[in-house]
Amino acid sequence: MDLEEARSKEVINTGAIPNTKIQAISRGLKRKRKLEKGWDWYVCEGFQQILYQQAEALKTLGVGPELKDEVLHNFWKRYLQKSKQAYCKNPVYTSGRKATVLEDNPSHSDWDSEPDLLSDFSCRSFVESGTDSQPDGRTQKPFPISKASQSETASICSGSLDGVEYSLRKEKGIVKMTVPRTLAFCYLSLLWQRETITLSDLLRFVEEGHIPYLNAFQHFPEEMKLYGRDKGIFAIESWPAYEDIYKKMIEIAKFLDLPRFPDITEDCYLHPNILCMKYLMEVNLPDEMNDLTCQVVKMTGIGEVDFLTFDPIAKMAKTVKYDVQAVAVIVVVLKLLFLLDDNLEWTLSNIAEKYNEKNKEDKPWFDFRKWYQVMKKSVDEKKQKWEEARAKYMWKSEKPLYHSSIDRAVVYKRREMVVSLQKQFSTLVDSAPTVEKKSPSSFQFNWTEGDSARTCFHGHGLQGILKKKDQSLTTKNSLYWLSTQKFCRSYCKHVTTYEESNFSLSYQFIINLFSFLLRIKTSSLHEEVSLIEKRLFKTKYSKTKKKSRSRKGRKY
Amino acid sequence: MSDFSEELIRSKTEDDQEESCVFSGTGMSFPWLQKYIGTVATGGKKEKDFAQTTNACLSFIQEALLKHRWQKAAEFMHSYFQILEDSDSHKRQAAPEIIWKLGSEILFYHPKSNVETFNTFADRMKNIGVMNYLKISLQHALYLLHHGMLEDANRNLSHAETWRYGEKSSSQEVLINLIQAYKGLLQYYTWSKKKMELSTLDEDDYAYNTASQNMLNHSWKTSVNLCALIQTPGVWDPFVKSYVEMLEFYGDQDGAREVLTNYAYDEKFPSNPNAHIYLYNFLKREKAPREKLISVLKILYQIVPSHKLMLEFHRLLRKSEKEDHHKLGLEVLFGVLDFAGCTKNITAWKYLGKYLRQTLVGNHLAWVQEEWNSRKNWWPSFHFSSFWAKSDWKEDKALACEKALVAGILLGKGCRYFRFISKQDDQVLRKKIKRIKKSVKKHSIVNPGL
């Protein structure tokens, strides 16, 4: 976000989140016997609440307010329509009650003013078309669980009106909303707005608690009671994983029939040139490497607008993992410069060290060994802290969730016990050194010139590892080894299994470093590196199956 | 966290989700596979991050405890409590015991904790999960004992004694007996103190009667409490000792004898050398016949041949009239000196020297040879090397002399040890050395011409 300019656009405030409407309308309905008094609410409203909270959090982080008011809101409405929960004739709330609550909404609400926003999407308007094109049999589908939801058995209940049937609902072709998918929605909006938050940044903010996700339901309005089946829907016990959210994002984009996203051009934050620069700075590598990364980007064609822009309705809808890809490019550049075979990089370091000792006033040559020592120490420290934070993470919410009236007492008692035990032990713990919540930043490492304790390598030169060839510079290292020997003929997800022991220690270190930075699996990063290499060394792959050395010159 | 090999064995019986096979023992290692194999056992569900957190937390706590970083351990313990709310019922049920063990450890050592905190913690943990009540009560009582709070411990134990919950399992039975026994021990302690007081009082003193009556009460309580436990197979040395002491004080010799005999000879009880020692000492006090004493010590000899009572045993055997006792006496002596702990025991060497002479004079060369055969390969370097000769002479000349006698008899006058000692010139021991030389010349088994 440091690189973003403030956008000054008139923000059209599209009004409050619809929750207030719904609660007003539903007051008139007859209520089921409930375990707790409160409003009637539907599960999708719950998700709406969560999205709202997340959008607010993103706004606090510096994202422009259009994301919340326009983009995300519209995506959500489109989802509701596509999944037939709202904005269409005969939404799916059956179970004998035919709650046609939301059906009336479009005509009553402020959202009639919204079609002009919806028309931003330069495709067919979908306000009514969705239902027309669908066969009519859908809405009156007899749900097998309708019996259960009518029964007043205490064992199956939920705070929401449709919690039970929601969890049992299994419709083909409809993407059911889940809490992880809220993040997918957020990311889609961020991507649409081309904001300076990558997916790994987003997930990291979630983990650090800047964006509500786990136990987001704790911030629901007081009157929205949550229990029973709602627990399975809203209380998750896993951190979001990159691959998972990424897949969900594509799935949702396809489901929503979204058009081609705004172009990602060279001046966009998400363009590999800029992301590479950001990551180079973050891992304390010399600025001069940026030229090389730009070269690689150009040669592989991954900087093209068409390649980078997300187009869900294209034939093979896939998008780019911008952050992983940028990092993979850096890895490839490091391999080009240093070979990373546990040998050459140290030899080159020796040369650099000797030069630096003799010429203390000149711009120092980049010394891989010194960099490794500095980075390893920093990363190990960070990793240790991260592991400890994960071990101390409190998963359970303050107010316990229970499945039914039977285990309600037990659950409350347990919580009470835990709280009292915690109180007792907190007196033993020094209150002083608690880690204050860090202010969110997209940079996990910061390096400053002149800090003697932690050398900053940004200004170091690459002369030691480049040599002159005619009128341009090329790498001293003329060898290369490929991360993957063979790719599957059919396009499958797993192009290569990353087995650490097959690779050099330097390579392992680099991969571990960057995968920790992005909080992804090492195998994902390795895969991405392989894909970049596949593009870079196209000819090698098509010719032979054997691993071969390639000689390439970098030209300025 | 089960063993990797355990997971492998389990996974063989279930469908392997992975294409690659894992053969244990062919040298292929698939570290990333373990995670997936783990999920096979759990029915395909990946370990949730909640479980990851609690597992990581647990290992951090254990690490902190090992390094004595109580502060850090308390921090992580604070977060670990959430396992009591785990949706996995197995983990939830196993949690209280783990939390008790770790928590009590932390509270025992943490500088900021005190008896108050421990008490609150123990009381809370007792009431989580029914099965832990007795165990925690007992450990709580021991903690209080450690801090010298005897009355509190007593109260605690009494409270725990009255605990009942449905059908008692056998393990709970033992715990209840233990609790009663510790109570009994506390009673014994009070009784013992009163005994001390009593001994200072005069018999005619008016307080004497009340005091002795008081004592009687305590002893009765003690016996009631200890009885049950002593009858269960186990090692109950302190309890048995106190009980017997009380019985003897009140003149119940038969009772005491019964308890001790039972403790030593009942097959169900684990083999315990102390049991035999207690019995022997009791019989000695009772002045039992030599035969009896010998039979008791014979068993001790079989369990612990290096015990210091073996010398007493030898004396008994020597005085006996039976010939096989005499033979055993020789065996016992050799047996004692087999052990490194007894090499400097001058009495043992003295006895051996004397007894060898006696045996050889009695024409029992065969006995000596039998004993010596199994030892002649290693005793010379174990006892009689030139290093030992020098070191023994420096440390304890008397010991060296006794050893020299034995060495000379067994190895002949040419052996290093004997030669070294015989060459020494010492004012005090000159005569003795001369005598030794004579004995060796006469009795040495190396020179057949006796």
Side-chain angles (χ1 to χ4, degrees):
Chain A
M1 289 107 51
D2 309 337
L3 310 175
E4 194 220 333
E5 304 164 64
R7 297 190 195 191
S8 49
K9 198 167 78 171
E10 276 295 87
V11 175
I12 311 164
N13 198 334
T14 52
I17 294 297
N19 207 19
T20 41
K21 288 283 173 200
I22 291 178
Q23 92 213 23
I25 291 162
S26 63
R27 245 179 259 142
L29 284 181
K30 267 207 167 60
R31 273 177 258 262
K32 255 198 332 214
R33 179 172 65 96
K34 295 264 190 181
L35 289 176
E36 286 184 55
K37 276 204 172 158
W39 295 336
D40 283 341
W41 57 281
Y42 291 95
V43 168
C44 67
E45 287 174 55
F47 284 120
Q48 200 163 307
Q49 270 286 322
I50 296 181
L51 281 172
Y52 176 71
Q53 287 172 36
Q54 288 172 336
E56 277 293 312
L58 283 170
K59 215 158 94 171
T60 329
L61 286 174
V63 168
E66 306 84 40
L67 185 128
K68 170 184 159 214
D69 300 326
E70 298 168 21
V71 184
L72 187 55
H73 195 183
N74 289 328
F75 282 159
W76 178 240
K77 283 195 302 192
R78 194 153 175 167
Y79 172 77
L80 288 176
Q81 210 205 21
K82 287 273 174 183
S83 60
K84 295 197 195 340
Q85 292 174 57
Y87 299 101
C88 53
K89 286 195 188 133
N90 305 319
V92 288
Y93 300 107
T94 56
S95 69
R97 252 186 302 117
K98 272 218 224 170
T100 48
V101 171
L102 293 168
E103 194 192 318
D104 297 322
N105 272 352
S107 48
H108 293 324
S109 72
D110 311 333
W111 302 329
D112 282 347
S113 60
E114 283 158 10
D116 44 292
L117 284 171
L118 296 175
S119 62
D120 280 353
F121 301 127
S122 52
C123 68
R124 56 183 196 270
S125 105
F126 55 81
V127 179
E128 296 290 71
S129 62
T131 47
D132 290 342
S133 50
Q134 303 298 332
D136 228 343
R138 285 238 169 185
T139 50
Q140 294 301 326
K141 222 197 311 205
F143 287 113
I145 30 80
S146 56
K147 275 187 270 174
S149 58
Q150 288 288 30
S151 78
E152 303 290 83
T153 53
S155 55
I156 308 176
C157 64
S158 64
S160 56
L161 288 174
D162 61 338
V164 177
E165 55 177 285
Y166 188 88
S167 47
L168 294 172
R169 198 182 295 165
K170 267 194 255 268
E171 280 177 59
K172 259 185 107 173
I174 303 260
V175 169
K176 206 159 102 172
M177 191 62 183
T178 58
V179 179
R181 290 201 169 97
T182 58
L183 286 181
F185 268 92
C186 287
Y187 182 61
L188 274 176
S189 325
L190 286 168
L191 189 56
W192 186 273
Q193 292 290 91
R194 293 175 291 182
E195 286 285 349
T196 57
I197 299 182
T198 60
L199 181 55
S200 58
D201 286 335
L202 179 68
L203 296 181
R204 195 161 44 84
F205 291 146
V206 166
E207 204 183 304
E208 289 171 2
H210 303 298
I211 295 183
Y213 175 73
L214 297 162
N215 299 341
F217 58 85
Q218 288 191 101
H219 302 291
F220 282 2
E222 188 62 42
E223 299 300 315
M224 262 172 97
K225 303 292 181 192
L226 217 84
Y227 53 85
R229 280 303 177 97
D230 298 332
K231 185 176 172 190
I233 301 173
F234 289 106
I236 10 153
E237 292 190 340
S238 289
W239 283 292
Y242 189 103
E243 288 289 331
D244 185 46
I245 304 292
Y246 178 75
K247 269 190 256 189
K248 289 187 157 72
M249 181 200 76
I250 299 182
E251 180 190 44
I252 290 177
K254 283 209 279 224
F255 177 63
L256 296 181
D257 279 332
L258 292 177
R260 183 178 155 115
F261 273 50
D263 283 344
I264 305 227
T265 52
E266 274 194 16
D267 55 348
C268 243
Y269 178 73
L270 295 173
H271 191 271
N273 286 339
I274 302 190
L275 272 182
C276 279
M277 180 144 65
K278 188 245 181 190
Y279 285 119
L280 281 173
M281 264 170 65
E282 193 161 3
V283 295
N284 204 8
L285 285 170
D287 297 335
E288 285 184 23
M289 280 193 190
N290 200 26
D291 292 318
L292 289 165
T293 57
C294 290
Q295 286 268 314
V296 172
V297 165
K298 197 146 157 230
M299 289 179 74
T300 53
I302 59 175
E304 300 300 312
V305 173
D306 288 328
F307 179 82
L308 289 171
T309 312
F310 183 30
D311 195 350
I313 52 179
K315 214 186 272 181
M316 285 229 306
K318 73 161 205 48
T319 179
V320 173
K321 296 179 188 165
Y322 303 100
D323 36 17
V324 185
Q325 192 180 76
V327 158
V329 167
I330 299 179
V331 174
V332 168
V333 165
L334 283 172
K335 271 168 89 174
L336 285 169
L337 288 173
F338 295 105
L339 189 56
L340 297 182
D341 64 342
D342 281 342
N343 202 348
L344 184 63
E345 61 270 30
W346 310 119
T347 322
L348 289 172
S349 304
N350 293 338
I351 299 174
E353 196 180 326
K354 276 201 204 107
Y355 174 85
N356 288 339
E357 255 168 54
K358 280 197 221 140
N359 309 300
K360 292 218 165 108
E361 287 82 38
D362 293 348
K363 181 159 135 181
W365 284 4
F366 177 67
D367 185 340
F368 186 85
R369 181 180 286 117
K370 282 218 166 64
W371 175 83
Y372 167 79
Q373 285 164 344
V374 171
M375 278 319 284
K376 179 142 175 70
K377 188 154 166 257
S378 308
V379 153
D380 283 347
E381 271 168 22
K382 266 242 157 42
K383 232 182 180 164
Q384 176 73 8
K385 282 208 196 100
W386 176 74
E387 275 170 17
E388 287 186 7
R390 281 210 152 186
K392 286 194 199 160
Y393 194 80
M394 301 301 289
W395 287 91
K396 300 293 180 182
S397 53
E398 300 274 323
K399 185 158 173 283
L401 290 183
Y402 51 90
H403 285 295
S404 63
S405 58
I406 300 171
D407 69 7
R408 179 190 187 172
V410 175
V411 167
Y412 269 81
K413 186 156 184 273
R414 269 188 218 140
R415 179 104 277 259
E416 188 194 310
M417 198 130 57
V418 170
V419 165
S420 73
L421 282 169
Q422 280 182 330
K423 217 166 92 174
Q424 185 176 25
F425 267 76
S426 62
T427 58
L428 292 177
V429 177
D430 270 341
S431 47
T434 41
V435 180
E436 332 85 46
K437 214 161 171 209
K438 289 176 290 179
S439 54
S441 157
S442 56
F443 280 85
Q444 294 177 63
F445 290 100
N446 279 304
W447 308 97
T448 45
E449 299 276 346
D451 185 356
S452 55
R454 293 152 83 237
T455 328
C456 177
F457 292 90
H458 293 157
H460 288 213
L462 295 180
Q463 291 94 303
I465 45 185
L466 298 173
K467 63 178 190 245
K468 268 198 170 313
K469 183 176 172 183
D470 303 329
Q471 276 168 356
S472 50
L473 290 171
T474 182
T475 58
K476 271 200 182 146
N477 167 40
S478 54
L479 305 174
Y480 198 85
W481 52 271
L482 297 168
S483 291
T484 298
Q485 290 183 350
K486 186 164 74 163
F487 286 90
C488 276
R489 288 194 186 279
S490 61
Y491 184 79
C492 67
K493 301 270 165 42
H494 303 287
V495 295
T496 179
T497 315
Y498 176 53
E499 178 51 48
E500 286 178 342
S501 51
N502 290 339
F503 296 94
S504 68
L505 293 170
S506 315
Y507 183 72
Q508 286 179 41
F509 170 72
I510 301 281
I511 293 282
N512 285 334
L513 168 62
F514 282 113
S515 12
F516 171 69
L517 202 67
L518 299 180
R519 310 284 197 270
I520 55 175
K521 287 202 284 243
T522 48
S523 49
S524 311
L525 180 55
H526 178 80
E527 193 180 308
E528 198 70 27
V529 170
S530 307
L531 290 174
I532 300 275
E533 286 174 353
K534 191 178 177 190
R535 286 177 165 264
L536 199 55
F537 304 112
K538 272 194 286 275
T539 43
K540 291 299 164 193
Y541 276 107
S542 56
K543 254 195 221 159
T544 60
K545 285 187 184 174
K546 288 221 182 82
K547 182 168 86 163
S548 53
R549 295 180 186 166
S550 66
R551 308 182 90 241
K552 288 245 168 201
R554 301 286 140 266
K555 298 205 160 85
Y556 269 57
Chain B
M1 307 283 269
S2 35
D3 224 11
F4 181 42
S5 50
E6 249 177 64
E7 313 248 53
L8 275 181
I9 296 166
R10 254 190 286 163
S11 70
K12 280 204 191 112
T13 56
E14 294 170 280
D15 287 337
D16 210 327
Q17 286 175 343
E18 294 293 312
E19 294 104 32
S20 31
C21 295
V22 180
F23 304 103
S24 53
T26 55
M28 291 207 284
S29 104
F30 295 88
W32 45 267
L33 191 56
Q34 178 169 2
K35 203 166 80 171
Y36 294 103
I37 286 191
T39 68
V40 172
T42 60
K45 279 189 280 205
K46 216 179 72 120
E47 180 191 72
K48 279 207 270 203
D49 287 345
F50 179 84
Q52 200 190 79
T53 296
T54 50
N55 289 338
C57 200
L58 183 62
S59 44
F60 274 117
I61 296 176
Q62 289 169 333
E63 195 189 319
L65 284 178
L66 275 173
K67 293 186 183 166
H68 288 209
R69 315 246 308 261
W70 313 114
Q71 169 80 344
K72 200 158 173 220
E75 262 175 52
F76 283 105
M77 197 70 216
H78 184 269
S79 314
Y80 190 67
F81 288 126
Q82 61 179 334
I83 199 174
L84 288 167
E85 292 180 288
D86 196 345
S87 37
D88 181 348
S89 58
H90 288 291
K91 289 233 173 122
R92 210 175 45 226
Q93 278 161 11
E97 195 175 334
I98 301 175
I99 291 182
W100 165 251
K101 284 194 189 144
L102 295 172
S104 57
E105 193 74 15
I106 295 175
L107 287 176
F108 191 76
Y109 289 108
H110 196 287
K112 275 202 206 154
S113 100
N114 49 26
V115 182
E116 270 304 309
T117 7
F118 195 96
N119 284 344
T120 337
F121 182 62
D123 286 330
R124 274 212 195 94
M125 291 312 295
K126 275 183 215 170
N127 293 314
I128 301 180
V130 164
M131 287 294 122
N132 294 314
Y133 183 81
L134 287 176
K135 206 189 299 185
I136 295 181
S137 297
L138 186 56
Q139 291 178 330
H140 188 192
L142 289 173
Y143 171 83
L144 290 167
L145 275 177
H146 176 97
H147 283 264
M149 302 170 62
L150 295 177
E151 279 111 41
D152 288 342
N154 206 352
R155 215 179 321 128
N156 226 314
L157 289 171
S158 311
H159 214 241
E161 219 186 329
T162 59
W163 177 87
R164 293 288 179 269
Y165 186 81
E167 308 230 337
K168 275 180 281 174
S169 63
S170 58
S171 60
Q172 302 287 9
E173 189 81 38
V174 172
L175 278 172
I176 290 186
N177 285 342
L178 255 179
I179 287 175
Q180 285 177 330
Y182 271 102
K183 251 188 89 177
L185 205 58
L186 282 173
Q187 302 287 10
Y188 164 79
Y189 180 68
T190 352
W191 176 87
S192 188
K193 269 207 301 204
K194 296 229 187 295
K195 192 171 90 161
M196 297 283 256
E197 286 169 16
L198 202 69
S199 58
T200 62
L201 286 178
D202 207 11
E203 263 210 38
D204 300 327
D205 208 323
Y206 78 105
Y208 190 85
N209 276 334
T210 26
S212 67
Q213 188 61 32
N214 212 345
M215 261 178 66
L216 198 62
N217 282 340
H218 277 287
S219 72
W220 177 79
K221 283 191 204 153
T222 311
S223 62
V224 157
N225 282 322
L226 290 177
C227 254
L229 184 72
I230 294 180
Q231 282 163 13
T232 356
V235 179
W236 313 121
D237 290 349
F239 303 110
V240 168
K241 254 178 86 180
S242 349
Y243 190 42
V244 165
E245 183 189 330
M246 263 184 7
L247 288 171
E248 276 191 276
F249 183 81
Y250 287 112
D252 185 1
Q253 303 290 53
D254 289 329
R257 197 182 310 117
E258 194 187 321
V259 167
L260 285 172
T261 326
N262 210 29
Y263 192 49
Y265 292 135
D266 190 340
E267 300 224 310
K268 286 189 253 127
F269 279 67
S271 172
N272 182 2
N274 289 334
H276 300 275
I277 295 173
Y278 296 154
L279 181 59
Y280 172 75
N281 285 329
F282 172 76
L283 292 172
K284 215 168 71 170
R285 284 195 292 272
E286 253 201 340
K287 304 216 194 314
R290 199 183 293 140
E291 277 295 317
K292 188 89 178 85
L293 294 174
I294 287 180
S295 67
V296 173
L297 281 178
K298 216 189 238 184
I299 304 180
L300 184 62
Y301 166 64
Q302 276 157 4
I303 308 176
V304 190
S306 60
H307 201 275
K308 60 181 192 246
L309 275 180
M310 291 296 111
L311 293 178
E312 222 174 284
F313 187 37
H314 167 81
R315 284 200 295 273
L316 286 171
L317 290 168
R318 204 171 51 201
K319 291 194 202 129
S320 156
E321 278 136 20
K322 295 215 201 122
E323 200 168 276
D324 33 347
H325 281 177
H326 293 173
K327 185 160 186 274
L328 184 60
L330 187 66
E331 262 180 56
V332 166
L333 272 184
F334 269 104
V336 167
L337 289 167
D338 274 343
F339 289 87
C342 307
T343 45
K344 301 230 168 131
N345 191 329
I346 188 170
T347 327
W349 286 110
K350 214 190 276 187
Y351 282 5
L352 185 58
K354 218 164 110 186
Y355 205 60
L356 277 173
R357 269 207 305 253
Q358 198 175 321
T359 316
L360 289 169
V361 161
N363 274 329
H364 292 294
L365 176 63
W367 291 357
V368 178
Q369 275 175 337
E370 191 183 316
E371 289 307 312
W372 183 237
N373 269 341
S374 57
R375 292 176 171 91
K376 64 181 173 203
N377 288 331
W378 58 280
W379 264 42
S381 49
F382 187 54
H383 288 299
F384 305 127
S385 62
S386 44
F387 166 77
W388 280 121
K390 295 193 193 110
S391 138
D392 289 338
W393 182 253
K394 217 161 88 176
E395 232 179 271
D396 186 350
K397 297 199 171 76
L399 171 71
C401 287
E402 300 298 339
K403 273 178 84 170
L405 174 60
V406 177
I409 294 178
L410 293 172
L411 291 170
K413 66 178 196 254
C415 81
R416 283 191 221 128
Y417 201 93
F418 181 73
R419 268 189 304 165
F420 180 82
I421 300 296
S422 53
K423 281 201 208 114
Q424 297 309 314
D425 193 18
D426 186 282
Q427 288 280 33
V428 177
L429 295 167
R430 199 179 294 163
K431 271 200 185 151
K432 186 156 183 186
I433 292 178
K434 250 183 147 163
R435 263 184 283 141
I436 288 174
K437 281 200 218 171
K438 236 172 94 181
S439 282
V440 167
K441 206 164 159 184
K442 197 168 164 204
H443 295 291
S444 172
I445 62 177
V446 173
N447 306 324
L450 255 178

